[in-house]
Amino acid sequence: MRAIRLDELSSEQLSELDQLYHTSPDPRVRIRALMILLSAERHLVAAEIAALVRQHEETVRRWFARYAAEGICGLADAPRSGTPPKVTPAYRQRLLELVRRRPRALGLPFSLWTAARLADALAEETGLRMSVPSVQRLLRAGGMALSRPQHTITSPDPDYALKKRRLKTPAMT
């Protein structure tokens, strides 16, 4: 294939690309800005840039063409088809707030959260019904996970600890 290079860019365009490269929170946009900067400043061709950024040569060529046609705005992802995500940042935040509170403190008739109970409570509160695996996935993304409850048996009997120890040690006869 023939080598493709971009036309000379003005200093304003270069500073705009440099700004985008250093401030964009999206790593894909940063890589695209880097592709254009490598071509403009280092005079590298698409094949050389592809090896540096670990992308296919044809991908680099497409981003060159899109930048040439649309400018810096062309480096962002195009809108995608399909339904938008149901879960909003507010829903995620409320889920994490809810799981950090004890259910009894909220007036609920149970002591421990399960993913199903969280899903029910949030569906009642927000009107959005999420599946149990979705709630678990959202919790993991928030750095939390529900574990199985550890059941312990206790007694108000003051001699309970002594009696429990006697049951655990084998009787000598």
Side-chain angles (χ1 to χ4, degrees):
M1 281 195 174
R2 66 181 180 83
I4 291 185
R5 294 179 201 262
L6 287 175
D7 296 332
E8 287 294 318
L9 299 179
S10 69
S11 60
E12 183 181 305
Q13 288 173 312
L14 289 173
S15 68
E16 220 177 24
L17 282 165
D18 190 55
Q19 174 81 15
L20 180 66
Y21 176 74
H22 284 91
T23 60
S24 176
D26 187 355
R28 293 185 310 265
V29 173
R30 281 197 305 269
I31 288 175
R32 295 165 193 163
L34 180 63
M35 290 177 195
I36 307 302
L37 285 168
L38 287 171
S39 175
E41 294 179 339
R42 303 278 171 95
H43 305 291
L44 299 177
V45 294
E48 295 167 325
I49 294 171
L52 289 173
V53 297
R54 296 178 181 247
Q55 298 282 328
H56 193 275
E57 183 179 343
E58 199 52 43
T59 301
V60 176
R61 291 171 188 273
R62 274 197 308 272
W63 286 112
F64 280 2
R66 189 143 157 208
Y67 179 76
E70 300 177 33
I72 201 163
C73 295
L75 298 180
D77 285 333
R80 296 174 187 226
S81 63
T83 60
K86 287 197 259 183
V87 177
T88 63
Y91 184 93
R92 291 174 197 267
Q93 182 180 354
R94 182 62 185 142
L95 170 65
L96 295 176
E97 287 172 1
L98 200 58
V99 78
R100 287 184 181 112
R101 304 224 20 225
R102 295 197 178 276
R104 294 245 189 240
L106 300 171
L108 297 171
F110 47 86
S111 302
L112 297 171
W113 285 117
T114 64
R117 288 174 176 167
L118 280 167
D120 291 341
L122 283 166
E124 196 173 297
E125 188 176 313
T126 64
L128 176 61
R129 168 67 63 185
M130 297 297 293
S131 67
V132 169
S134 293
V135 169
Q136 291 169 333
R137 181 180 43 78
L138 291 170
L139 285 171
R140 275 193 310 274
M144 301 185 87
L146 296 174
S147 58
R148 290 187 182 200
Q150 301 296 316
H151 298 287
T152 56
I153 299 173
T154 60
S155 171
D157 183 5
D159 297 328
Y160 177 73
L162 179 66
K163 293 174 185 176
K164 187 175 176 181
R165 254 185 274 124
R166 278 192 209 146
L167 287 174
K168 285 187 178 182
T169 56
M172 289 197 240
T173 54

